[in-house]
Amino acid sequence: MNTMDNLEKQLICPICLEMFTKPVVILPCQHNLCRKCANDVFQASNPYLPTRGGSVTSGGRFRCPSCRHEVVLDRHGVYGLQRNLLVENIIDMFKQESSSSSKPAPERKEETPMCDVHEDEKINIYCVTHGVPTCSMCKVFGAHKDCEVAPITSIYQTKKTELSDGIAMMVGNNDRMQGIISQLEEACRAIEENGRRQKTLVCEKFDQLYSVLEEKKRQMSQKVTAEQEEKLNYIRGLTRKYGDHLEESCKVVEKGIQTMEEPEMALFLENTKPLLKKIAEASSIAHLDKVERGYEKMDHYNCDFKKEGKALRSIDFIQDEDDEDEEDEDGEADAEEGEGAQTVLGGSVVTSASDQPSVPQQTNSSSSTAKSAAST
């Protein structure tokens, strides 16, 4: 008998808590349900799916009440699940064995609970007033004689139906709760992905800003280098001219010393005239340029990045529209200067106030060549 009891427990549906009724469907997780119970759970988990004649006409999903495995159905609904013929055959064999055996009946009678007050009376009615099962003697003579009672079989069926409906409702609620959890997990994944994407966009915008700064630094350095080379070339050329003039003067001096040693007066006088002319020419440097005072200075390429630094330090994400309106009212002066930086909240754009940063402040940028006029 213990074997039959254990077998009967294995044949109990987890939804209606009764023995499986044909047809029995087998879920992908290998658990079994009555087809009617499976359909009830499916409809409870998919309340908004279209139905026709009481049956679902499109696919959906629900979770196995035994293991919570997700069962995905096609357009046939639970009718697309495979029947478990083995379980159905075992149920038939169990029922035949139970009906052919004469021993289980009296044993089951012995298992019928007896009244605690009237030991010889079976508990066969239900006290509706107190909500407890009792016996007929308690209703006639006992504590429940003034109570409302009902047949225990009808109450049994009612309570069993309520319990089955409650289980089906809880299964549906659990499935919806699992759906909410899945949505929350998906939201976490979306937040992580969006965060990575927005950080990438921010880095790209900063890289663009870095490239603009690098290009501007290259241009400004090139401008300084150009004037530096121009001044150096001019000074080096002037140095060569002075060097050539000095070399020529040294030759005239040497020629003059040799002429001074000439003993013949006539020859001396003949050589002196052109020599004195060369001395006069060599003594004059009027044809050579002179560098004006401060020509070597380069401090006119001074630059002030205070405003640009303030703009860079103010880089932030764009605020809400209300905050932007307040900033527009209170910061018109800043808007006129065109300074500041913006980014789109959520990470779509990170830009400075204009597409190109303002040209760094420069003062006293004079011409690169300040040549002096030749002195007399």
Side-chain angles (χ1 to χ4, degrees):
M1 183 59 190
N2 291 333
T3 303
M4 296 296 291
D5 290 341
N6 292 333
L7 179 59
E8 183 179 6
K9 291 180 180 179
Q10 297 300 319
L11 299 177
I12 296 299
C13 174
I15 298 299
C16 63
L17 302 180
E18 295 182 354
M19 188 175 294
F20 290 116
T21 57
K22 291 184 180 180
V24 179
V25 294
I26 182 170
L27 304 182
C29 57
Q30 305 302 313
H31 290 113
N32 299 284
L33 291 176
C34 305
R35 177 178 287 176
K36 179 182 180 303
C37 295
N39 193 55
D40 292 341
V41 175
F42 175 70
Q43 292 186 5
S45 301
N46 301 270
Y48 300 110
L49 288 180
T51 59
R52 182 175 59 200
S55 62
V56 178
T57 60
S58 62
R61 59 187 64 199
F62 69 96
R63 293 189 177 274
C64 173
S66 298
C67 66
R68 306 301 299 159
H69 178 79
E70 187 175 55
V71 180
V72 180
L73 302 181
D74 58 14
R75 61 186 180 85
H76 300 290
V78 296
Y79 292 92
L81 293 173
Q82 185 178 359
R83 290 179 60 176
N84 196 332
L85 299 179
L86 176 60
V87 172
E88 293 181 9
N89 293 333
I90 293 175
I91 291 174
D92 291 340
M93 295 173 61
F94 179 81
K95 290 181 177 179
Q96 291 177 3
E97 182 68 21
S98 298
S99 61
S100 62
S101 176
S102 59
K103 294 182 180 180
E107 289 181 358
R108 288 187 177 275
K109 290 182 180 179
E110 293 176 0
E111 292 177 358
T112 303
M114 308 299 287
C115 180
D116 294 336
V117 179
H118 308 91
E119 297 180 355
D120 296 334
E121 294 293 328
K122 299 177 183 179
I123 296 178
N124 54 3
I125 61 175
Y126 187 84
C127 177
V128 179
T129 304
H130 295 93
V132 294
T134 185
C135 70
S136 301
M137 295 300 293
C138 289
K139 169 58 181 171
V140 177
F141 305 105
H144 301 284
K145 61 181 180 179
D146 296 327
C147 298
E148 179 185 356
V149 296
I152 196 170
T153 55
S154 63
I155 299 298
Y156 167 77
Q157 293 297 332
T158 301
K159 294 299 181 181
K160 197 164 190 179
T161 301
E162 292 179 1
L163 181 59
S164 177
D165 293 342
I167 292 174
M169 182 184 66
M170 289 301 299
V171 169
N173 289 338
N174 291 342
D175 189 63
R176 284 189 289 273
M177 190 69 66
Q178 184 63 42
I180 294 175
I181 293 174
S182 300
Q183 292 177 355
L184 294 175
E185 293 174 349
E186 181 62 27
C188 290
R189 290 190 291 270
I191 290 173
E192 292 175 352
E193 178 61 27
N194 291 336
R196 285 192 295 269
R197 181 170 62 253
Q198 298 311 120
K199 285 189 287 187
T200 301
L201 291 174
V202 169
C203 292
E204 289 177 355
K205 294 302 178 181
F206 270 94
D207 290 339
Q208 293 175 6
L209 187 59
Y210 298 153
S211 64
V212 171
L213 292 174
E214 288 292 337
E215 177 62 21
K216 183 57 64 176
K217 181 176 71 173
R218 187 191 65 80
Q219 293 176 359
M220 294 177 65
S221 298
Q222 188 176 11
K223 191 172 184 180
V224 175
T225 301
E227 182 168 335
Q228 171 187 323
E229 292 298 326
E230 185 176 357
K231 285 187 173 183
L232 287 175
N233 292 334
Y234 172 73
I235 295 297
R236 287 166 182 166
L238 195 59
T239 302
R240 285 193 298 269
K241 291 180 180 180
Y242 274 93
D244 294 342
H245 187 78
L246 176 61
E247 184 179 357
E248 186 65 25
S249 296
C250 292
K251 291 180 180 180
V252 172
V253 171
E254 184 178 355
K255 183 65 175 176
I257 294 174
Q258 293 177 357
T259 303
M260 289 291 294
E261 296 176 355
E262 179 59 48
E264 292 292 333
M265 291 184 291
L267 186 59
F268 175 81
L269 293 174
E270 182 179 352
N271 294 333
T272 300
K273 185 177 181 179
L275 184 59
L276 290 173
K277 183 178 181 181
K278 288 183 179 181
I279 290 175
E281 293 176 354
S283 299
S284 175
I285 58 173
H287 63 286
L288 297 177
D289 294 339
K290 291 184 179 180
V291 180
E292 69 178 10
R293 186 186 302 274
Y295 178 74
E296 71 281 1
K297 293 182 179 181
M298 299 286 288
D299 53 6
H300 53 277
Y301 284 110
N302 185 28
C303 50
D304 183 3
F305 294 109
K306 290 181 179 179
K307 291 189 294 183
E308 288 77 5
K310 182 179 180 181
L312 291 175
R313 284 188 292 271
S314 67
I315 290 178
D316 200 353
F317 296 102
I318 291 179
Q319 305 299 320
D320 295 336
E321 294 181 358
D322 296 339
D323 297 337
E324 290 180 357
D325 294 339
E326 294 178 0
E327 292 177 359
D328 291 340
E329 294 176 358
D330 298 337
E332 293 180 356
D334 293 339
E336 292 176 356
E337 293 175 357
E339 302 299 334
Q342 298 178 348
T343 66
V344 170
L345 184 61
S348 61
V349 179
V350 181
T351 63
S352 60
S354 60
D355 291 339
Q356 297 293 335
S358 59
V359 177
Q361 182 71 25
Q362 299 184 9
T363 60
N364 301 328
S365 57
S366 62
S367 171
S368 61
T369 57
K371 303 181 181 67
S372 64
S375 60
T376 56

